[in-house]
Amino acid sequence: MASDYLTNHRSPTRLMAVCRQFYQMVVTTPGCWTTVVLDPKIGYKHLPQYVERSGTQPISVWLFIYPFRWDGTSWPSCWPVVNAQRRWRSVFICTSPHAGYPHDLIPPTLPLLEEIHVRDQGAGISAMSVRPDYPKLRVLRAGGVNLVLDGTVTTTTLEELEFTLGPSTSIDRISSLLRLNPELRRLQIETSIQPSVVEALWMGVEEVVLPRLTSISFVCQSLGPVEALVYVLHAPKVSSATFTHYALESSVEDYFNILRFSIKRFPELDRIAFNGLITLEWVRSIMDELSPCLQEGRTITVTLENMGDFTVQGSNSEGEPSQWVEV
């Protein structure tokens, strides 16, 4: 069955209504009951049934937060799920605009937890607290939400990490989390704060070594903060970089500086994607200027939002301009 809540949360009861054989099959199959939904709009009467029929199977917990609908009094109705927390394998938090965020939403002891996903449907959650000490956590996606790390940072199994960098972000805890997870393969950093603030936050931070990282992504109001963020990362295996921004003040020079710095910083980089306000003419001009940065024989694919892919071949030893090839 599909794991997505929108297609799966009512699938068991729908299948049970098909016929008697389907009813018996669904009732006796624990895997049909492993997606558990905590949603004030549909209530909590179904929770004991789902928890019981899922048996000993790991479960995925979906939590929906609405303005003025979720508070501490909701937890007693959810105790069947809370009591089964040792079976939680993944947590999906879906928010709506202007929804509040309970500080102790995710239990601190989840020995099987592998994934945390936060889907912010607007500027609803300003910060989300997570205790990064889950022993099997592989994926932490909290894009659009300021990540607050509570307690001692001990998680060492992360492979994917997305977070938003805010003025109150603890850089010491974030850098500790990165250093403790050398198996990290995908990293996405979002920020809307000014470049000078980013530089001040990261000033003095020692280099973070991520030997397995292959994909890196930045979502910013402007390109200014990117260089400060890239500077602290030593990730020699990065082959793909994505830059997303929608600020009018970015210029050709901004793109040129970021590209030049990224190419030098990531020696295996062969694919760059731009999403936001950029024109084909800008990229052609920038890449032609970057030819001295590209070793002979090196090829980079540039993807432009709504424009397709282009490849640029590195200049030869005499420094002739790069050659553009539309893919």
Side-chain angles (χ1 to χ4, degrees):
M1 293 184 181
S3 60
D4 192 279
Y5 161 76
L6 296 177
T7 59
N8 192 52
H9 79 291
R10 291 178 180 170
S11 293
T13 53
R14 288 176 176 174
L15 289 173
M16 288 167 61
V18 173
C19 64
R20 183 175 300 176
Q21 288 81 4
F22 268 61
Y23 180 94
Q24 186 64 28
M25 178 192 70
V26 172
V27 168
T28 58
T29 304
C32 293
W33 305 89
T34 55
T35 297
V36 182
V37 179
L38 309 182
D39 187 342
K41 288 185 176 180
I42 65 174
Y44 309 109
K45 293 182 179 179
H46 63 288
L47 297 183
Q49 183 182 69
Y50 272 67
V51 172
E52 180 181 356
R53 290 179 175 174
S54 62
T56 59
Q57 294 289 313
I59 59 177
S60 296
V61 178
W62 287 73
L63 172 60
F64 286 76
I65 304 176
Y66 307 99
F68 315 114
R69 281 180 175 268
W70 185 276
D71 54 43
T73 61
S74 300
W75 274 121
S77 301
C78 303
W79 278 124
V81 179
V82 177
N83 289 336
Q85 63 186 249
R86 296 190 67 83
R87 292 197 283 127
W88 289 23
R89 182 168 59 186
S90 56
V91 177
F92 296 83
I93 302 173
C94 302
T95 76
S96 58
H98 312 298
Y101 179 80
H103 181 77
D104 56 350
L105 189 60
I106 304 178
T109 304
L110 300 174
L112 296 184
L113 187 66
E114 296 182 3
E115 301 183 18
I116 298 175
H117 301 258
V118 181
R119 296 185 178 182
D120 191 5
Q121 305 300 322
I125 292 182
S126 59
M128 185 186 78
S129 299
V130 173
R131 295 179 60 88
D133 57 359
Y134 303 112
K136 295 187 177 182
L137 188 64
R138 296 184 301 102
V139 178
L140 174 54
R141 294 179 178 172
V145 179
N146 293 331
L147 190 62
V148 178
L149 302 179
D150 288 342
T152 304
V153 178
T154 59
T155 294
T156 60
T157 53
L158 278 178
E159 297 177 7
E160 295 186 33
L161 174 63
E162 296 179 10
F163 70 93
T164 295
L165 180 65
S168 60
T169 302
S170 172
I171 300 302
D172 289 340
R173 288 176 181 260
I174 289 292
S175 59
S176 296
L177 182 64
L178 292 173
R179 289 192 178 91
L180 286 172
N181 289 274
E183 296 298 314
L184 197 67
R185 288 167 169 77
R186 181 178 177 274
L187 174 64
Q188 176 173 306
I189 302 175
E190 301 183 21
T191 184
S192 60
I193 57 181
Q194 296 298 316
S196 59
V197 178
V198 175
E199 293 173 2
L201 287 172
W202 288 94
M203 186 177 298
V205 175
E206 296 182 1
E207 188 177 65
V208 176
V209 179
L210 298 173
R212 302 292 184 117
L213 190 68
T214 59
S215 175
I216 191 166
S217 178
F218 299 96
V219 181
C220 307
Q221 291 287 337
S222 65
L223 292 172
V226 174
E227 186 169 338
L229 297 172
V230 171
Y231 185 77
V232 300
L233 300 177
H234 178 66
K237 297 297 182 181
V238 167
S239 59
S240 173
T242 301
F243 304 96
T244 301
H245 84 103
Y246 298 96
L248 293 172
E249 64 267 19
S250 294
S251 64
V252 175
E253 288 74 20
D254 292 328
Y255 283 101
F256 173 76
N257 291 333
I258 293 303
L259 279 169
R260 179 177 59 182
F261 188 77
S262 299
I263 289 171
K264 289 183 177 181
R265 191 67 175 168
F266 306 128
E268 294 192 10
L269 185 65
D270 59 13
R271 177 173 287 274
I272 300 174
F274 286 107
N275 302 317
L277 301 174
I278 186 172
T279 66
L280 176 58
E281 289 72 21
W282 278 21
V283 177
R284 287 181 183 271
S285 174
I286 294 166
M287 294 305 291
D288 283 343
E289 293 293 331
L290 283 173
S291 59
C293 299
L294 297 177
Q295 297 178 353
E296 184 176 3
R298 184 176 179 181
T299 300
I300 292 181
T301 300
V302 180
T303 302
L304 305 182
E305 187 177 30
N306 300 323
M307 296 185 191
D309 292 353
F310 302 84
T311 61
V312 59
Q313 299 174 353
S315 64
N316 60 30
S317 58
E318 297 179 358
E320 294 181 359
S322 304
Q323 298 178 354
W324 277 86
V325 181
E326 293 192 17
V327 178

